Amino acid sequence: MYAVAKPYADPGMQRKLEWVACMLDASEASAAKIGCSPEAIVAQAAQETGWGRSAIGNNVFGIKASSGWKGAVVMRPTWEVENGAVVHIVAPFRDYSTLADGIEDHFQFLKVNRRYRNVFDHDNTMSDQEYFRRLAADGYATDPNYAQRLSDVLDAVNVFKSRLSEDGVAVSPPPPRLMMIGVSPGPDVVALQKALGITADGDFGPDTKRAVMEWQRTHPACGDVDGVVGVLTRMSLGGNHVSRA
């Protein structure tokens, strides 16, 4: 079981951290069947629901209740596109007793739809990034950058995970590439400086670090105020402004 070991002072970040902890526990069984990590499932659910905010109860993948669904149903407002126009409707969605039930049903959804037969790891060689690429290739989402977006969110999930403990043991920090700091002059630092609205000289010096920390202070979604341009800070700036290395 995951528990919060290093809480955030900001309530919004703390809510996301607690949601990630619950989702990691609930994702383990389904992840093993797919051949990806629990973190990959959490990343996909985070992308689909805004870190759980738009989830319909324990339905974190927004699966609607078709006529063949025999379980509980909850009615929720949503929208569809009909003849090129957005139409607002109230539709039935599947309801689940637990997060694990909802995640397992999403696994069954992938399993029974032949279009997704390639997303499963049959030879124990699939990385999470490959899982995302297969989902995108099989048409899971219309966003052409879907796989990359999931990879970016996965980085953030790993940052949150580093603040958790599992069965009382602290989780290892994320890989170094998630905690890059722009120390080398170059175009990546220029892009970062432009995003911060400061002089773009390409040199990550004291002025740039101060600007990063000021951004972090005014944007709680960055997490810590440390001057480190990690994945949460990159995401809050609207893109990957610093090299992943």
Side-chain angles (χ1 to χ4, degrees):
M1 295 287 292
Y2 286 94
V4 174
K6 186 180 178 183
Y8 285 105
D10 178 72
M13 293 297 288
Q14 181 65 13
R15 182 199 66 79
K16 291 180 182 178
L17 180 61
E18 293 171 354
W19 182 80
V20 168
C22 292
M23 284 291 296
L24 284 170
D25 284 328
S27 299
E28 288 185 355
S30 294
K33 296 175 185 177
I34 293 173
C36 63
S37 72
E39 291 83 355
I41 291 180
V42 178
Q44 190 181 2
Q47 173 70 17
E48 299 289 340
T49 65
W51 299 93
R53 279 202 175 277
S54 62
I56 301 171
N58 291 319
N59 187 343
V60 292
F61 288 101
I63 302 178
K64 290 182 179 178
S66 61
S67 58
W69 172 247
K70 304 301 181 183
V73 172
V74 59
M75 304 298 294
R76 287 290 187 272
T78 186
W79 57 271
E80 294 180 350
V81 176
E82 296 181 3
N83 298 320
V86 175
V87 178
H88 293 275
I89 62 172
V90 176
F93 288 83
R94 299 183 184 189
D95 196 17
Y96 308 102
S97 299
T98 67
L99 280 172
D101 288 343
I103 294 167
E104 170 65 18
D105 195 46
H106 181 253
F107 158 73
Q108 293 296 334
F109 167 80
L110 294 175
K111 183 178 178 180
V112 301
N113 282 274
R114 287 188 54 80
R115 68 183 296 179
Y116 301 120
R117 62 185 180 276
N118 294 321
V119 306
F120 298 99
D121 184 11
H122 299 295
D123 53 11
N124 199 33
T125 61
M126 182 173 67
S127 66
D128 288 339
Q129 285 71 27
E130 178 62 23
Y131 170 59
F132 297 152
R133 285 193 290 269
R134 294 182 188 186
L135 274 176
D138 287 347
Y140 187 89
T142 56
D143 182 354
N145 298 314
Y146 188 66
Q148 182 58 56
R149 294 189 198 281
L150 291 182
S151 292
D152 291 340
V153 178
L154 176 63
D155 286 349
V157 169
N158 281 320
V159 172
F160 282 117
K161 184 183 175 183
S162 71
R163 303 178 77 101
L164 303 176
S165 63
E166 184 177 12
D167 298 328
V169 179
V171 175
S172 299
R177 76 183 186 91
L178 301 183
M179 303 299 290
M180 287 298 296
I181 197 165
V183 295
S184 300
D188 291 325
V189 180
V190 169
L192 169 67
Q193 291 167 329
K194 287 181 177 178
L196 292 168
I198 62 175
T199 301
D201 60 7
D203 181 20
F204 196 105
D207 290 342
T208 300
K209 184 173 182 179
R210 279 193 293 270
V212 170
M213 294 179 71
E214 180 58 30
W215 177 272
Q216 292 171 330
R217 268 189 289 270
T218 58
H219 295 79
C222 297
D224 296 322
V225 180
D226 54 9
V228 175
V229 187
V231 60
L232 296 181
T233 299
R234 292 201 308 270
M235 290 177 68
S236 77
L237 285 161
N240 296 323
H241 297 289
V242 176
S243 172
R244 291 169 170 272

